[in-house]
Amino acid sequence: LAKTTQPISMDSYEGQEVNITCSHNNIATNDYITWYQQFPSQGPRFIIQGYKTKVTNEVASLFIPADRKSSTLSLPRVSLSDTAVYYCLLNQAGTALIFGKGTTLSVSS
Amino acid sequence: DVKVTQSSRYLVKRTGEKVFLECVQDMDHENMFWYRQDPGLGLRLIYFSYDVKMKEKGDIPEGYSVSREKKERFSLILESASTNQTSMYLCASSKIRDREYEQYFGPGTRLTVT
């Protein structure tokens, strides 16, 4: 069973910032928080990973509060091409990922 | 760039056939995984392997087996295909780096069993 909870779907418009929050109340000390993106008919693609505080890369930012029981993926200024399913996962080195159903983000013009 | 390739993008098989899905990665990754993805159910783990000749059952191993004779290759076998195995099959690989790692996915094989 997935160890995370996230909204089933979200809608946004081009140019807006999108924040997807993920709940993981039972996160373990060794868990990292990882987000993947999946377009139709493709395999998931790694976006960002973090352990605590804030991580930023060229695609997104990940905010993790001190208690690590939740995290927020932030996508700045989304475009139509950001329409995809976004998965929040917990992972430890050497273990298999458990995917939930993800959040379907729909971006409109 | 890491590359994970799968033998076919689309495959049509008949009920009862033995089906082989092949996955190859070119980055010397220790870990390899097979998932299936169905509408409304997300990705579900079938089998994974941490090393050559090693395998571990995932959440839904029934009706499947796997083979890992070489580090770069991980095969999923449907011993006797059934219509409820019609699905998108995704292979992934990863390398352990400290406590962080990233899984790289192949493009998927859409299998239809008639």
Side-chain angles (χ1 to χ4, degrees):
Chain A
L1 289 176
K3 298 185 285 186
T4 61
T5 303
Q6 53 185 122
I8 296 294
S9 63
M10 294 183 70
D11 296 315
S12 183
Y13 291 97
E14 284 189 291
Q16 290 189 334
E17 178 185 75
V18 171
N19 295 308
I20 306 175
T21 297
C22 179
S23 172
H24 28 80
N25 291 318
N26 297 318
I27 188 168
T29 303
N30 290 338
D31 282 332
Y32 276 72
I33 299 157
T34 309
W35 287 80
Y36 281 76
Q37 174 192 55
Q38 186 178 24
F39 298 112
S41 300
Q42 294 185 26
R45 183 176 70 105
F46 174 90
I47 302 176
I48 197 166
Q49 182 179 70
Y51 187 78
K52 60 181 178 180
T53 63
K54 177 183 174 183
V55 179
T56 297
N57 62 22
E58 64 278 6
V59 176
S61 295
L62 179 60
F63 299 92
I64 305 168
D67 65 5
R68 303 200 331 124
K69 292 184 183 298
S70 67
S71 58
T72 299
L73 175 73
S74 181
L75 304 172
R77 298 180 299 282
V78 294
S79 64
L80 296 176
S81 62
D82 292 315
T83 294
V85 180
Y86 293 83
Y87 297 95
C88 168
L89 305 98
L90 303 180
N91 67 270
Q92 299 180 15
T95 64
L97 296 178
I98 300 175
F99 285 80
K101 297 181 182 180
T103 297
T104 299
L105 172 64
S106 299
V107 180
S108 304
S109 57
Chain B
D1 270 355
V2 175
K3 202 167 211 179
V4 179
T5 57
Q6 297 183 226
S7 49
S8 305
R9 289 301 307 270
Y10 300 93
L11 207 54
V12 180
K13 294 291 182 180
R14 294 193 181 277
T15 301
E17 279 193 82
K18 190 168 186 175
V19 181
F20 292 86
L21 302 182
E22 305 286 343
C23 176
V24 178
Q25 49 93 4
D26 66 359
M27 283 301 290
D28 200 36
H29 284 176
E30 291 88 1
N31 306 328
M32 296 189 75
F33 309 84
W34 274 107
Y35 298 85
R36 64 176 283 178
Q37 185 169 30
D38 302 286
L41 296 177
L43 279 86
R44 293 179 291 168
L45 181 66
I46 305 171
Y47 268 97
F48 57 102
S49 169
Y50 293 142
D51 202 350
V52 175
K53 295 193 185 296
M54 294 185 68
K55 60 184 179 184
E56 297 282 344
K57 292 181 180 179
D59 298 324
I60 50 165
E62 296 78 20
Y64 304 94
S65 62
V66 290
S67 172
R68 190 152 180 216
E69 297 296 319
K70 293 185 178 181
K71 191 175 185 179
E72 67 271 18
R73 187 181 297 270
F74 192 35
S75 302
L76 180 69
I77 304 157
L78 286 67
E79 298 290 342
S80 178
S82 63
T83 54
N84 63 12
Q85 291 179 310
T86 291
S87 185
M88 169 70 90
Y89 290 88
L90 290 157
C91 174
S93 72
S94 71
K95 188 173 184 66
I96 299 173
R97 294 191 302 269
D98 295 324
R99 297 185 339 188
E100 303 176 53
Y101 76 105
E102 173 184 337
Q103 279 196 10
Y104 296 86
F105 283 81
T109 296
R110 186 165 295 282
L111 172 67
T112 302
V113 182
T114 60

